[in-house]
Amino acid sequence: MNEAHHSDENDIDQPADALIAQCLNPENPKSFFLFAGAGSGKTRSLVAALEHVQVNWGEGLRRQGKRIGVITFTNAASDEIKRRIQFDALFDVRTIHSFAWSLIEGLNHDIREWLRVKISEDLDDLREKEAKGRAGRASDDRKLKIVAATKRLDSLPSIKTFIYSPTGTNRTRDALSHAEVIRIAAHFLQSKPRMQSIFVGRYPILLVDESQDTNRHLIDALFEVSAKQAGSFSLGLIGDTMQQIYADGKEGLGTALPSTWATPGKQMNHRCPKRVVSLLNKVRSTVDPHQQQARTDAREGTVRLFIVPSSIEDKPGLEDRVAARMAELSLDPQWLQRDAVKTLTLEHRMAAARLGCLDAFVALYEIDSTSLLNGTQPLATFFTDQVLPLVNAHQRDDRFAVMRLLKTLSPLLSVEKLKGSPGKSHLAEARSAVDELARLLADGRDPTLLEVLTRVSEQHLLQVPERLAAWTIASEEEITDDVEVSEDDDRRKLIDDLLATRFSQIAPLATYPSRKARFDTHQGVKGLEFERVMVIMDDQEARGFMFKYEDLFGRKTEGKTSEATRRLFYVTASRATKSLALLAYTDDVTRVKTFMLDNAWFNEDEVITIV
């Protein structure tokens, strides 16, 4: 009896799922906004909705050549949803950029005209500001932008086909930027009735996950489609405004919705322990009326706030001591295992510094942050995915692994080379080349990446990325101004900085884009969960302007920055499934402690000051 009662209490959100199912009837579609707070199982609701359509309407939709569109926030979320629906082609699951590009790809004439108008408007604005502005850095930046925009405008007529890669750098002159793809897709949906009709004909149902952080231009366009195509289109927005942490999302999404929209809501937090749920409710109580329930079978959980002066030395050492204290307080020795704790920093550099790969990370991040973070940057992957595995296999004395890697990666064992001159000599040459590379690291030596690159190039061991070709001169020589380099001076300096770093930074660097590192950023873990979470809040080290924990914790009481930081705090705290350590570095320990106790976010015994 008790178990059944508990089950009923934990299933209080079933009416929300039933209401969503009603909205997704293709014969009578209805738009909706689903409020889904942290840990509410929104992915489960999304998949349940897709399965409902699959079972009840799938056959008819397939016959008509229609699909269900699903926009996700990350590639990982997209992959997870595809896996759960068994890769059924009825569902077109994409990230926002991929989805937007699928709508406009091939519309080259229209794209060219949009760019012509937009670039012309931007140029007029820049020239007006330059005419009114004073000499200085801002003026220099404007002049450079004017030159670049003018060149791009002049080149438009010669571009026959525009290209775009959702995961690539998009640097060539025929490539669109990430922001442009979104803006163009939104503009076309709003301004082209025929495109609206085609869109709704293709996607009678469109579900948008993490809608509070979906670009506002696209959201506005979808609202317009929903209004004009009422009766033949269902737009389902899933999200929680408290978890909006990106500036380009639509403010106040979920409020002032059309009267015809359904507004299902989910109250249960299936992820967090009871103490974390009560903290989350307190944090959002001054923002909106939404409050969550913890599961009846949830653990109580352990939460502690550590307040530390910003001036303290050896912050990584202090963070290790905090983890040890959490092991005692939560009776959980796993806090002593670094890889069993997810540590969240405000920016990537803070994580890289603690991982031990700051120099390499900074250079690569400045070269191209997007491809670095999604693991596709050639300069990074050359060292992390090619050189490092070879070195590791050799150091393990794993000959099979070495040969497997060489056959995949090395030009010394390419099919063409072996066809031209079969025999064992190539194998011996390849092994010798690996031995030469390994000698650089023998006896505990830690060579620079330039030394590694030079050795690899001299031995013809691996195919060197094109952008590093100019640095593969014999080690006795210096790169002079006579060497032809396709990079501009700034980028060349960044590559110099990268190659000056030590090879020991490559192993920790390799763990970061793959999300295997014990560190991540506050923004990067949205949608994820971890048993033990340590949140590091340090405005001084972060050097950012979007988020200010000092403002949230009593230095200021209102303002956009403070509210954005409150939302970020909510997101990070809601990742924990067992225990949570919040570590606030501050210039005023007393103020932060007073704020926390006065606002009843924590009890007295949950606040630990370290001075």
Side-chain angles (χ1 to χ4, degrees):
M1 185 75 175
N2 244 349
E3 283 183 19
H5 179 63
H6 280 186
S7 176
D8 290 344
E9 287 186 12
N10 292 329
D11 290 339
I12 58 172
D13 292 332
Q14 280 188 341
D17 290 339
L19 181 52
I20 293 169
Q22 289 177 26
C23 294
L24 299 183
N25 179 347
E27 294 179 2
N28 184 28
K30 191 173 183 179
S31 293
F32 66 89
F33 179 88
L34 168 67
F35 164 76
S40 61
K42 65 181 176 59
T43 303
R44 186 169 53 208
S45 287
L46 176 56
V47 171
L50 298 180
E51 288 172 342
H52 174 80
V53 173
Q54 191 179 42
V55 170
N56 292 281
W57 312 101
E59 191 177 330
L61 289 168
R62 284 183 229 272
R63 276 201 309 269
Q64 297 171 58
K66 298 177 185 290
R67 303 180 77 190
I68 309 304
V70 182
I71 296 178
T72 64
F73 201 73
T74 64
N75 286 309
S78 176
D79 293 343
E80 174 63 13
I81 291 168
K82 287 176 186 174
R83 186 185 64 77
R84 290 206 206 179
I85 56 173
Q86 300 180 318
F87 303 93
D88 188 338
L90 174 66
F91 306 106
D92 191 4
V93 186
R94 299 172 180 264
T95 61
I96 179 175
H97 290 96
S98 174
F99 192 86
W101 177 239
S102 74
L103 300 180
I104 66 172
E105 184 178 8
L107 302 177
N108 296 299
H109 172 75
D110 298 284
I111 291 171
R112 187 181 300 104
E113 182 58 21
W114 185 92
L115 286 170
R116 186 188 65 75
V117 172
K118 180 70 168 65
I119 296 169
S120 298
E121 289 173 350
D122 290 347
L123 272 170
D124 289 343
D125 183 54
L126 284 166
R127 285 169 180 149
E128 185 179 338
K129 286 178 179 174
E130 181 57 23
K132 294 177 181 177
R134 283 182 271 179
R137 180 65 187 268
S139 173
D140 293 341
D141 287 346
R142 281 194 297 269
K143 286 173 182 172
L144 287 171
K145 287 178 180 176
I146 288 170
V147 170
T150 303
K151 281 184 179 177
R152 192 176 185 204
L153 188 63
D154 292 342
S155 73
L156 284 180
S158 63
I159 299 174
K160 298 291 183 280
T161 304
F162 290 92
I163 63 169
Y164 172 72
S165 167
T167 58
T169 57
N170 298 299
R171 290 193 179 277
T172 56
R173 67 188 183 89
D174 56 349
L176 300 173
S177 72
H178 299 304
E180 285 169 346
V181 166
I182 298 290
R183 293 292 297 271
I184 294 169
H187 178 74
F188 286 5
L189 275 176
Q190 287 177 302
S191 63
K192 297 179 182 296
R194 179 165 165 71
M195 184 171 183
Q196 270 192 20
S197 300
I198 293 170
F199 174 75
V200 171
R202 188 191 305 175
Y203 301 111
I205 296 170
L206 178 67
L207 304 179
V208 184
D209 193 14
E210 301 285 7
S211 58
Q212 75 281 350
D213 273 321
T214 303
N215 182 278
R216 61 182 175 276
H217 298 292
L218 189 58
I219 288 290
D220 285 340
L222 293 174
F223 267 111
E224 193 165 316
V225 173
S226 174
K228 290 183 176 176
Q229 303 288 333
S232 56
F233 177 63
S234 171
L235 174 61
L237 303 182
I238 302 165
D240 173 12
T241 50
M242 193 64 188
Q243 295 186 71
Q244 181 184 345
I245 57 176
Y246 293 100
D248 64 348
K250 184 175 176 64
E251 283 293 328
L253 185 67
T255 61
L257 292 167
S259 59
T260 55
W261 280 49
T263 53
K266 306 192 76 171
Q267 299 174 49
M268 183 65 65
N269 184 319
H270 297 277
R271 174 194 300 147
C272 300
K274 293 172 182 175
R275 179 61 191 97
V276 172
V277 173
S278 65
L279 171 62
L280 298 176
N281 286 338
K282 183 63 73 172
V283 170
R284 81 179 297 157
S285 62
T286 58
V287 178
D288 63 40
H290 291 296
Q291 297 283 282
Q292 288 186 299
Q293 287 180 223
R295 290 181 61 88
T296 53
D297 53 0
R299 67 183 78 234
E300 186 59 38
T302 303
V303 175
R304 291 295 185 274
L305 171 68
F306 297 83
I307 311 175
V308 188
S310 300
S311 57
I312 198 165
E313 295 185 7
D314 187 20
K315 289 178 180 178
L318 180 277
E319 289 150 20
D320 285 342
R321 296 199 299 279
V322 166
R325 187 74 182 274
M326 285 298 294
E328 295 172 13
L329 293 165
S330 63
L331 304 177
D332 181 1
Q334 286 289 92
W335 270 97
L336 300 172
Q337 304 297 319
R338 285 184 166 184
D339 291 339
V341 178
K342 196 62 157 183
T343 301
L344 307 182
T345 61
L346 256 172
E347 64 162 22
H348 296 293
R349 286 175 177 81
M350 291 168 66
R354 287 162 172 80
L355 278 171
C357 58
L358 180 62
D359 301 325
F361 182 90
V362 167
L364 290 162
Y365 190 86
E366 293 296 329
I367 290 167
D368 181 21
S369 60
T370 302
S371 62
L372 172 64
L373 296 175
N374 65 31
T376 62
Q377 193 187 98
L379 302 189
T381 56
F382 173 71
F383 290 105
T384 60
D385 296 4
Q386 297 188 48
V387 178
L388 181 64
L390 266 177
V391 167
N392 287 344
H394 186 279
Q395 290 179 340
R396 293 194 311 268
D397 198 25
D398 187 342
R399 289 185 158 202
F400 291 107
V402 169
M403 290 310 299
R404 188 171 62 249
L405 288 163
L406 286 172
K407 285 178 180 176
T408 305
L409 302 170
S410 179
L412 294 174
L413 295 182
S414 67
V415 174
E416 293 76 14
K417 189 115 179 174
L418 294 175
K419 272 184 184 174
S421 175
K424 295 183 178 179
S425 62
H426 292 302
L427 295 178
E429 186 182 0
R431 287 198 189 103
S432 173
V434 177
D435 291 340
E436 285 298 316
L437 172 62
R439 284 193 187 95
L440 271 180
L441 294 111
D443 304 320
R445 286 196 292 273
D446 190 9
T448 66
L449 296 186
L450 180 58
E451 291 175 294
V452 171
L453 176 68
T454 302
R455 184 65 56 90
V456 166
S457 175
E458 287 172 345
Q459 301 296 318
H460 307 290
L461 179 59
L462 299 169
Q463 184 69 47
V464 172
E466 190 177 326
R467 291 168 71 186
L468 292 179
W471 281 261
T472 59
I473 298 170
S475 57
E476 301 300 318
E477 300 177 30
E478 292 290 329
I479 297 177
T480 69
D481 290 336
D482 296 329
V483 177
E484 204 170 308
V485 183
S486 61
E487 308 290 345
D488 60 35
D489 288 343
D490 288 344
R491 197 151 300 229
R492 181 170 165 177
K493 170 68 168 58
L494 289 170
I495 295 177
D496 283 340
D497 292 343
L498 170 67
L499 296 178
T501 62
R502 298 286 165 181
F503 186 72
S504 57
Q505 295 197 20
I506 294 302
L509 178 72
T511 68
Y512 197 64
S514 66
R515 291 287 162 92
K516 291 175 184 171
R518 58 193 178 94
F519 293 98
D520 211 323
T521 61
H522 292 199
Q523 301 94 317
V525 293
K526 193 166 68 164
L528 304 177
E529 60 183 51
F530 313 95
E531 291 185 340
R532 297 156 211 87
V533 174
M534 181 186 294
V535 182
I536 297 174
M537 298 167 285
D538 189 346
D539 295 344
Q540 191 179 81
E541 189 179 355
R543 301 168 299 150
F545 59 89
M546 287 290 292
F547 306 105
K548 294 286 186 187
Y549 279 101
E550 290 278 37
D551 289 358
L552 177 62
F553 299 156
R555 190 170 62 189
K556 286 185 182 176
T557 56
E558 56 185 26
K560 281 196 171 182
T561 303
S562 181
E563 286 313 302
T565 309
R566 181 191 297 269
R567 294 195 294 265
L568 190 64
F569 182 88
Y570 180 93
V571 168
T572 57
S574 60
R575 300 306 99 196
T577 64
K578 282 189 176 180
S579 49
L580 172 67
L582 297 150
L583 178 50
Y585 291 103
T586 176
D587 55 18
D588 191 339
V589 170
T590 303
R591 170 177 50 76
V592 175
K593 181 175 181 178
T594 301
F595 171 87
M596 291 299 184
L597 297 179
D598 287 351
N599 285 273
W601 286 18
F602 300 92
N603 304 320
E604 181 96 38
D605 63 345
E606 292 177 323
V607 179
I608 300 169
T609 57
I610 301 173
V611 293

